[in-house]
Amino acid sequence: MIVAVDGPTASGKGTIARALAAHFALPHLDTGLLYRAVGRQCAVQGGNPDDPADALAACAFPDSLLADPELRSEATGGLASRVSVHPGVRQALYERQRAFALQEGGAVLDGRDIGTVIAPEAEVKLFVVASVPARAERRFREMQAAGRAVSLAEIAADLEARDRRDRTRAEAPLVAASDAVLLDTSDLPREAAIAAAIEIARTKAAALPENRSA
Ligand code: C5P
């Protein structure tokens, strides 16, 4: 079973994807991390993330970079959203994501275009959303816990800028697949959001031909 979890930054999709992977004992790929690695590598190489050639050159990042805590910063998230507009970058990361999705036994992937581009055949598609204030508040608490000094207003402005860039780019924009189930986590505590996602996935999985009793 392939599970696609898409949605904007800080919507709760990462938490939900990890919980679904644990519940169904499936491997999980946070595809945002790949774009973050490209953004970070581009900066390390002194490149311009808005330049397609510089961004493409950064796709050959070393795998060890994926463990760098700097990938989780807001600054790297901004760089990721800038390099991710280039079709060449998306193409360079496509095979890796596609192979992960198609592995024997299935997988859970979270990102922006999993249900639309990477695995349109996914049996379970969730599109996770939340209001900007709810997402900014969550990100603010995460940053505080990590000891990073940022203001709530800065975070909200950054989220909105990234949403705009992700939704309006020509290549693989952030959009719900027509067969995705929308899950709004604005007013849901973490555990309730996870329970709702598991229920959606369980219902979808039960309806699959191989699981239907004759
Ligand atoms: O999900 P995360 O915030 O880590 O993603 C960082 C950026 O990478 C996003 O803002 C988006 O621009 C890009 N991204 C993407 N496609 C994906 C995952 C992430 O374009 N599948």
Side-chain angles (χ1 to χ4, degrees), residues 6-10 13 30-33 35-36 71-72 76-78 80-82 84-85 90 97 110-114 118 139 162-163 165-166 169 172:
D6 289 304
T9 303
K13 67 180 188 317
D30 168 3
T31 65
L33 213 52
Y35 289 92
R36 285 170 180 264
L71 291 198
R72 304 276 172 197
T76 307
S81 109
R82 287 163 67 187
S84 72
V85 305
R90 306 204 71 85
Q97 298 173 80
D110 73 85
R112 301 292 187 290
D113 61 343
I114 309 303
I118 303 297
R139 193 39 68 88
R162 269 218 266 162
D163 280 1
R165 209 179 293 130
D166 288 352
R169 68 178 174 223

Side-chain angles (χ1 to χ4, degrees), residues 181-196:
V181 177
L182 196 76
L183 178 59
D184 188 337
T185 66
S186 305
D187 300 317
L188 290 182
R190 189 176 184 279
E191 292 311 319
I194 290 173

Side-chain angles (χ1 to χ4, degrees), residues 10 22 60 63 65 80-81 100 115 119 143 157 159 164 194 199-200 208:
D63 269 6
L65 184 61
S81 109
F100 193 93
M143 292 287 138
L159 283 180
R164 208 173 309 119
I194 290 173
E199 186 51 28
I200 292 166
L208 294 177

Side-chain angles (χ1 to χ4, degrees), residues 102-129:
L102 294 186
Q103 68 187 284
E104 186 73 36
V108 179
L109 292 87
D110 73 85
R112 301 292 187 290
D113 61 343
I114 309 303
T116 50
V117 176
I118 303 297
E121 71 273 60
E123 287 86 358
V124 179
K125 295 184 187 180
L126 277 168
F127 196 76
V128 185
V129 295

Side-chain angles (χ1 to χ4, degrees), residues 4-21:
V5 184
D6 289 304
T9 303
S11 56
K13 67 180 188 317
T15 301
I16 285 172
R18 277 190 300 277
L20 286 172

